[in-house]
Amino acid sequence: MPEAYEQTLNRGTLNELTLALSRGMFVQVRNVLHNMPACDVAHLLESSPGKTRILFWDLIDTEFHGEILEELSDDVRNSIIHQMMPEAVAEATEGMDTDDLADVLRNLPDQLYQEVLQALDSQDRHRAEAALAYEEYSAGSVMNTDTVTIRPNVSVEVVLRYLRMRSEIPKTTDTLYIVDEQDVLIGEVSLTALVTSQPEVIISELMNTDIVPIPATMPESEAAILFERHNWISAPVVNEENHLLGRITIDDMVDIIREDAEHSMMSMAGLDDEEDTFAPVVKSTQKRSIWLGVNLLTALLAAMVSNLFEDVLGQLAVLAILNTIVPSMGGVAGNQTLTLVIRAMALGHVSPSNTRSLMIKELTVGILNGIIWSVLIASVVGLWKQDLYLAIVIAFAMLMNMIAAGISGVAVPLILKKFKIDPALAGSVILTTVTDIVGIFAFLGTASWLLM
Amino acid sequence: MPEAYEQTLNRGTLNELTLALSRGMFVQVRNVLHNMPACDVAHLLESSPGKTRILFWDLIDTEFHGEILEELSDDVRNSIIHQMMPEAVAEATEGMDTDDLADVLRNLPDQLYQEVLQALDSQDRHRAEAALAYEEYSAGSVMNTDTVTIRPNVSVEVVLRYLRMRSEIPKTTDTLYIVDEQDVLIGEVSLTALVTSQPEVIISELMNTDIVPIPATMPESEAAILFERHNWISAPVVNEENHLLGRITIDDMVDIIREDAEHSMMSMAGLDDEEDTFAPVVKSTQKRSIWLGVNLLTALLAAMVSNLFEDVLGQLAVLAILNTIVPSMGGVAGNQTLTLVIRAMALGHVSPSNTRSLMIKELTVGILNGIIWSVLIASVVGLWKQDLYLAIVIAFAMLMNMIAAGISGVAVPLILKKFKIDPALAGSVILTTVTDIVGIFAFLGTASWLLM
């Protein structure tokens, strides 16, 4: 393995550090922590259970607290901040990027928020209040104000002289923005264009005016989709009058792209996107119980449907034994369609022009699935229970439920979206309720008609 | 809404284009397509059902085919390429980025592959073969060879003169690499450092030698995690002797980050990561049937467990009615834990040092959940069926199954990973089998002991 690979934090380091901590080798752990990049320390904290996490945190020099907090996910960051004194939080936020500073403040409980704001120096307080003026999850809330702006009528040489005079520009700068006297954005010039152009070329000849600035009010998720689709590294943020306010960089967008992609999976299981793997037990139980409560209601609903067929169930125990197969298959088939549609919606692939095609496709898949699995289940049940009528009953129920699964797999998320309910959150439970009820009705209903 | 926002492709355009196409307004559609950025055309194709997709494709001028293919996901790209003549594919791949070219070739069926390779000009064939030398999904397979390299002993002014002489460097260049005579990577200098330094400064004083190059053999997913954690825009790729081979840029990594994040969700439903929303019906049915087949087996297994209790089910129909509640709750609780653990594994948060904490935490959540929901279900069943013993039976089964759910939610993915099986793919079905069987055994077993 090349040396380079070992330089980065791997599991071995993680285990060793935890072991050293548990043995009380605090000085050694502190030394290792101080030589690790902030992102790796953040990763270590995310991977540590509550108590170990706080022990590690206390070993880290306060001057590094800020950059480490910047790298943490919301849940973990909050769990740490709640253990800190307001003055320590204020000190840690010094020099933080504007967007991270606002994010930290936004997540503080009211009282702590006021205390931290008081403890900030006036410049940072001003920056924080400006960032907090934008709604959470808007492009404005994730932008930085560290843009480098130039005028259109100067030469490349003048720009280079200006940059040398500044002697430093933000590390992720890939583009200089060209603004007029009123700070209205009129174009951009990339650093690559700047360094490959002759010194006497005038910026206005070089600049790209065909740009798509991001309005500060655009939701950050939409901005992230634009970054992904256009392969941007940074993009300017403007207000409604096209005044340049700041810029968004790809590193902040990558986090949003991952969170949005994970959001559907976590929501489908009734979890928070950024749920801390090592959250305290009571907090985890609380968060998950809503979902379990909803599921209990739907399970009771299914039981009540079965209850309607108490007579036939009492007379034929075999129905009780087979009663779970059809709902289970419908649930799986329906969830396949649902997952596909939820992802397609998240990627922006679903629109009024293609919902009909999507519905017809999934309905046809449902019918095909229904035929395949009803033939199979009929054979199995026929051979096992030696009962032709029973085989016919379960085959019919399977066909019906597979069709219901295909239709509701497309319809449920579309309807939920129309009512502005997140399909990833509520879709799965509603769909399973539909396939449970259709499955039980079709199976026990046909059975009481054909077998009694 | 600011003007900027409307410039980008929105749903309205998508609907209008589909409508115009269905009305046969081919000339108008062609004109709109030719004025759209490649990424937006790609998005349109991804959002279109099979037939419409091919109609759109045929209206696009062949000279744009290449850049649009670069932007498409694997499944959709393949569905289009399979409709093209080998010569047309070869023509489209002209000037493609090396990594995309290799990706296209890799996904071609054998015969077409040979034909396209023959039709390429010799330079492109050479590039393609070099890229194909790296394993699929390795860092080498996603790198580009368009690095700009300089020597350590020259001044900033000399570098700028060299860049001006080249007059063009790749658009996403943010860093120049410094190599010795043997092409061994010794450092890097960012464009931001270059433009802010005095002309007479020597590169070796300016360069950063503390870099973490990516080995060409590293899996692309690991490289993506490094990009995400370190906020890189580009990173050098080296061979085992630290020779510079090329570079990877964040835009390619963003796609991998999204795919990896989506992978778990899609796998948990038994779908392909890049499954085409509008794939042909037969293909979709085939792909999904493996998953449904596995589920049928587990459903039959659960039915066989119920079958062991045929006697008690035959005598007490109420057991048949309530039999689905405990397995259903266990399945949901177990899947919550499973989803959390799968995500934590994907983020690299799980290691031998913390699995014990994780297990204890989820076990405790399981016990707490068990207490809450067994009390609740006992009350509901007690009131509904007016039977104290029945209430006790279902409460006990619920408690047992919630504990089983917590334990297996952590254990199943860990064990699967040890056997190198993807937990996202197989975890959910195994977990549900566990909670189904434990739930049925606990409920019907206790019932036949206490109620008979």
Side-chain angles (χ1 to χ4, degrees), chain A residues 36-49:
Chain A
M36 271 162 71
C39 58
D40 286 346
V41 178
H43 184 245
L44 174 73
L45 294 172
E46 302 251 2
S47 311
S48 300

mmCIF file with all atom_site columns, all heavy atoms in Angstrom, chain A residues 36-49:
data_model
loop_
_atom_site.group_PDB
_atom_site.id
_atom_site.type_symbol
_atom_site.label_atom_id
_atom_site.label_alt_id
_atom_site.label_comp_id
_atom_site.label_asym_id
_atom_site.label_entity_id
_atom_site.label_seq_id
_atom_site.pdbx_PDB_ins_code
_atom_site.Cartn_x
_atom_site.Cartn_y
_atom_site.Cartn_z
_atom_site.occupancy
_atom_site.B_iso_or_equiv
_atom_site.pdbx_formal_charge
_atom_site.auth_seq_id
_atom_site.auth_comp_id
_atom_site.auth_asym_id
_atom_site.auth_atom_id
_atom_site.pdbx_PDB_model_num
ATOM 1   N N   . MET A 1 36 ? -3.497  15.841 13.903 1.00 0.00 ? 36 MET A N   1
ATOM 2   C CA  . MET A 1 36 ? -4.451  15.370 12.896 1.00 0.00 ? 36 MET A CA  1
ATOM 3   C C   . MET A 1 36 ? -5.164  16.560 12.256 1.00 0.00 ? 36 MET A C   1
ATOM 4   O O   . MET A 1 36 ? -5.454  17.542 12.924 1.00 0.00 ? 36 MET A O   1
ATOM 5   C CB  . MET A 1 36 ? -5.498  14.472 13.572 1.00 0.00 ? 36 MET A CB  1
ATOM 6   C CG  . MET A 1 36 ? -5.121  13.009 13.620 1.00 0.00 ? 36 MET A CG  1
ATOM 7   S SD  . MET A 1 36 ? -6.107  12.109 14.859 1.00 0.00 ? 36 MET A SD  1
ATOM 8   C CE  . MET A 1 36 ? -7.705  12.102 14.072 1.00 0.00 ? 36 MET A CE  1
ATOM 9   N N   . PRO A 1 37 ? -5.476  16.472 10.933 1.00 0.00 ? 37 PRO A N   1
ATOM 10  C CA  . PRO A 1 37 ? -6.275  17.537 10.322 1.00 0.00 ? 37 PRO A CA  1
ATOM 11  C C   . PRO A 1 37 ? -7.659  17.595 10.981 1.00 0.00 ? 37 PRO A C   1
ATOM 12  O O   . PRO A 1 37 ? -8.169  16.570 11.454 1.00 0.00 ? 37 PRO A O   1
ATOM 13  C CB  . PRO A 1 37 ? -6.410  17.104 8.862  1.00 0.00 ? 37 PRO A CB  1
ATOM 14  C CG  . PRO A 1 37 ? -5.572  15.901 8.685  1.00 0.00 ? 37 PRO A CG  1
ATOM 15  C CD  . PRO A 1 37 ? -5.162  15.388 10.017 1.00 0.00 ? 37 PRO A CD  1
ATOM 16  N N   . ALA A 1 38 ? -8.258  18.789 10.986 1.00 0.00 ? 38 ALA A N   1
ATOM 17  C CA  . ALA A 1 38 ? -9.551  18.988 11.646 1.00 0.00 ? 38 ALA A CA  1
ATOM 18  C C   . ALA A 1 38 ? -10.606 17.996 11.138 1.00 0.00 ? 38 ALA A C   1
ATOM 19  O O   . ALA A 1 38 ? -11.424 17.493 11.903 1.00 0.00 ? 38 ALA A O   1
ATOM 20  C CB  . ALA A 1 38 ? -10.029 20.423 11.427 1.00 0.00 ? 38 ALA A CB  1
ATOM 21  N N   . CYS A 1 39 ? -10.574 17.707 9.829  1.00 0.00 ? 39 CYS A N   1
ATOM 22  C CA  . CYS A 1 39 ? -11.609 16.830 9.274  1.00 0.00 ? 39 CYS A CA  1
ATOM 23  C C   . CYS A 1 39 ? -11.494 15.419 9.855  1.00 0.00 ? 39 CYS A C   1
ATOM 24  O O   . CYS A 1 39 ? -12.495 14.741 10.047 1.00 0.00 ? 39 CYS A O   1
ATOM 25  C CB  . CYS A 1 39 ? -11.552 16.814 7.754  1.00 0.00 ? 39 CYS A CB  1
ATOM 26  S SG  . CYS A 1 39 ? -9.977  16.292 7.092  1.00 0.00 ? 39 CYS A SG  1
ATOM 27  N N   . ASP A 1 40 ? -10.276 14.993 10.149 1.00 0.00 ? 40 ASP A N   1
ATOM 28  C CA  . ASP A 1 40 ? -10.103 13.656 10.711 1.00 0.00 ? 40 ASP A CA  1
ATOM 29  C C   . ASP A 1 40 ? -10.529 13.609 12.181 1.00 0.00 ? 40 ASP A C   1
ATOM 30  O O   . ASP A 1 40 ? -11.094 12.624 12.639 1.00 0.00 ? 40 ASP A O   1
ATOM 31  C CB  . ASP A 1 40 ? -8.648  13.191 10.563 1.00 0.00 ? 40 ASP A CB  1
ATOM 32  C CG  . ASP A 1 40 ? -8.320  12.806 9.123  1.00 0.00 ? 40 ASP A CG  1
ATOM 33  O OD1 . ASP A 1 40 ? -9.281  12.647 8.339  1.00 0.00 ? 40 ASP A OD1 1
ATOM 34  O OD2 . ASP A 1 40 ? -7.142  12.681 8.799  1.00 0.00 ? 40 ASP A OD2 1
ATOM 35  N N   . VAL A 1 41 ? -10.236 14.703 12.915 1.00 0.00 ? 41 VAL A N   1
ATOM 36  C CA  . VAL A 1 41 ? -10.692 14.767 14.304 1.00 0.00 ? 41 VAL A CA  1
ATOM 37  C C   . VAL A 1 41 ? -12.224 14.728 14.321 1.00 0.00 ? 41 VAL A C   1
ATOM 38  O O   . VAL A 1 41 ? -12.836 14.023 15.117 1.00 0.00 ? 41 VAL A O   1
ATOM 39  C CB  . VAL A 1 41 ? -10.175 16.036 15.011 1.00 0.00 ? 41 VAL A CB  1
ATOM 40  C CG1 . VAL A 1 41 ? -10.701 16.094 16.438 1.00 0.00 ? 41 VAL A CG1 1
ATOM 41  C CG2 . VAL A 1 41 ? -8.662  16.071 15.001 1.00 0.00 ? 41 VAL A CG2 1
ATOM 42  N N   . ALA A 1 42 ? -12.845 15.469 13.397 1.00 0.00 ? 42 ALA A N   1
ATOM 43  C CA  . ALA A 1 42 ? -14.314 15.486 13.308 1.00 0.00 ? 42 ALA A CA  1
ATOM 44  C C   . ALA A 1 42 ? -14.832 14.069 13.057 1.00 0.00 ? 42 ALA A C   1
ATOM 45  O O   . ALA A 1 42 ? -15.795 13.622 13.682 1.00 0.00 ? 42 ALA A O   1
ATOM 46  C CB  . ALA A 1 42 ? -14.769 16.424 12.191 1.00 0.00 ? 42 ALA A CB  1
ATOM 47  N N   . HIS A 1 43 ? -14.171 13.358 12.173 1.00 0.00 ? 43 HIS A N   1
ATOM 48  C CA  . HIS A 1 43 ? -14.585 11.991 11.862 1.00 0.00 ? 43 HIS A CA  1
ATOM 49  C C   . HIS A 1 43 ? -14.470 11.087 13.086 1.00 0.00 ? 43 HIS A C   1
ATOM 50  O O   . HIS A 1 43 ? -15.335 10.259 13.358 1.00 0.00 ? 43 HIS A O   1
ATOM 51  C CB  . HIS A 1 43 ? -13.751 11.444 10.711 1.00 0.00 ? 43 HIS A CB  1
ATOM 52  C CG  . HIS A 1 43 ? -14.160 10.085 10.263 1.00 0.00 ? 43 HIS A CG  1
ATOM 53  N ND1 . HIS A 1 43 ? -13.362 8.983  10.388 1.00 0.00 ? 43 HIS A ND1 1
ATOM 54  C CD2 . HIS A 1 43 ? -15.310 9.649  9.730  1.00 0.00 ? 43 HIS A CD2 1
ATOM 55  C CE1 . HIS A 1 43 ? -13.999 7.930  9.935  1.00 0.00 ? 43 HIS A CE1 1
ATOM 56  N NE2 . HIS A 1 43 ? -15.187 8.298  9.528  1.00 0.00 ? 43 HIS A NE2 1
ATOM 57  N N   . LEU A 1 44 ? -13.393 11.297 13.861 1.00 0.00 ? 44 LEU A N   1
ATOM 58  C CA  . LEU A 1 44 ? -13.200 10.530 15.095 1.00 0.00 ? 44 LEU A CA  1
ATOM 59  C C   . LEU A 1 44 ? -14.345 10.794 16.072 1.00 0.00 ? 44 LEU A C   1
ATOM 60  O O   . LEU A 1 44 ? -14.892 9.862  16.677 1.00 0.00 ? 44 LEU A O   1
ATOM 61  C CB  . LEU A 1 44 ? -11.859 10.926 15.719 1.00 0.00 ? 44 LEU A CB  1
ATOM 62  C CG  . LEU A 1 44 ? -11.534 10.343 17.098 1.00 0.00 ? 44 LEU A CG  1
ATOM 63  C CD1 . LEU A 1 44 ? -11.190 8.863  16.970 1.00 0.00 ? 44 LEU A CD1 1
ATOM 64  C CD2 . LEU A 1 44 ? -10.378 11.080 17.752 1.00 0.00 ? 44 LEU A CD2 1
ATOM 65  N N   . LEU A 1 45 ? -14.735 12.069 16.208 1.00 0.00 ? 45 LEU A N   1
ATOM 66  C CA  . LEU A 1 45 ? -15.810 12.420 17.137 1.00 0.00 ? 45 LEU A CA  1
ATOM 67  C C   . LEU A 1 45 ? -17.131 11.812 16.680 1.00 0.00 ? 45 LEU A C   1
ATOM 68  O O   . LEU A 1 45 ? -17.915 11.291 17.469 1.00 0.00 ? 45 LEU A O   1
ATOM 69  C CB  . LEU A 1 45 ? -15.930 13.946 17.251 1.00 0.00 ? 45 LEU A CB  1
ATOM 70  C CG  . LEU A 1 45 ? -14.737 14.655 17.898 1.00 0.00 ? 45 LEU A CG  1
ATOM 71  C CD1 . LEU A 1 45 ? -14.888 16.159 17.781 1.00 0.00 ? 45 LEU A CD1 1
ATOM 72  C CD2 . LEU A 1 45 ? -14.599 14.258 19.362 1.00 0.00 ? 45 LEU A CD2 1
ATOM 73  N N   . GLU A 1 46 ? -17.391 11.862 15.359 1.00 0.00 ? 46 GLU A N   1
ATOM 74  C CA  . GLU A 1 46 ? -18.640 11.290 14.822 1.00 0.00 ? 46 GLU A CA  1
ATOM 75  C C   . GLU A 1 46 ? -18.709 9.792  15.078 1.00 0.00 ? 46 GLU A C   1
ATOM 76  O O   . GLU A 1 46 ? -19.782 9.219  15.202 1.00 0.00 ? 46 GLU A O   1
ATOM 77  C CB  . GLU A 1 46 ? -18.731 11.528 13.300 1.00 0.00 ? 46 GLU A CB  1
ATOM 78  C CG  . GLU A 1 46 ? -18.676 12.970 12.865 1.00 0.00 ? 46 GLU A CG  1
ATOM 79  C CD  . GLU A 1 46 ? -20.005 13.478 12.353 1.00 0.00 ? 46 GLU A CD  1
ATOM 80  O OE1 . GLU A 1 46 ? -20.979 12.711 12.364 1.00 0.00 ? 46 GLU A OE1 1
ATOM 81  O OE2 . GLU A 1 46 ? -20.071 14.654 11.960 1.00 0.00 ? 46 GLU A OE2 1
ATOM 82  N N   . SER A 1 47 ? -17.536 9.149  15.129 1.00 0.00 ? 47 SER A N   1
ATOM 83  C CA  . SER A 1 47 ? -17.477 7.695  15.292 1.00 0.00 ? 47 SER A CA  1
ATOM 84  C C   . SER A 1 47 ? -17.396 7.276  16.752 1.00 0.00 ? 47 SER A C   1
ATOM 85  O O   . SER A 1 47 ? -17.179 6.100  17.024 1.00 0.00 ? 47 SER A O   1
ATOM 86  C CB  . SER A 1 47 ? -16.253 7.136  14.559 1.00 0.00 ? 47 SER A CB  1
ATOM 87  O OG  . SER A 1 47 ? -16.192 7.633  13.250 1.00 0.00 ? 47 SER A OG  1
ATOM 88  N N   . SER A 1 48 ? -17.508 8.212  17.680 1.00 0.00 ? 48 SER A N   1
ATOM 89  C CA  . SER A 1 48 ? -17.344 7.855  19.096 1.00 0.00 ? 48 SER A CA  1
ATOM 90  C C   . SER A 1 48 ? -18.657 7.977  19.858 1.00 0.00 ? 48 SER A C   1
ATOM 91  O O   . SER A 1 48 ? -19.401 8.933  19.657 1.00 0.00 ? 48 SER A O   1
ATOM 92  C CB  . SER A 1 48 ? -16.306 8.771  19.752 1.00 0.00 ? 48 SER A CB  1
ATOM 93  O OG  . SER A 1 48 ? -15.068 8.623  19.105 1.00 0.00 ? 48 SER A OG  1
ATOM 94  N N   . PRO A 1 49 ? -18.914 7.011  20.750 1.00 0.00 ? 49 PRO A N   1
ATOM 95  C CA  . PRO A 1 49 ? -20.092 7.093  21.606 1.00 0.00 ? 49 PRO A CA  1
ATOM 96  C C   . PRO A 1 49 ? -19.981 8.286  22.546 1.00 0.00 ? 49 PRO A C   1
ATOM 97  O O   . PRO A 1 49 ? -18.865 8.770  22.799 1.00 0.00 ? 49 PRO A O   1
ATOM 98  C CB  . PRO A 1 49 ? -20.054 5.786  22.398 1.00 0.00 ? 49 PRO A CB  1
ATOM 99  C CG  . PRO A 1 49 ? -19.090 4.907  21.687 1.00 0.00 ? 49 PRO A CG  1
ATOM 100 C CD  . PRO A 1 49 ? -18.139 5.795  20.989 1.00 0.00 ? 49 PRO A CD  1
#
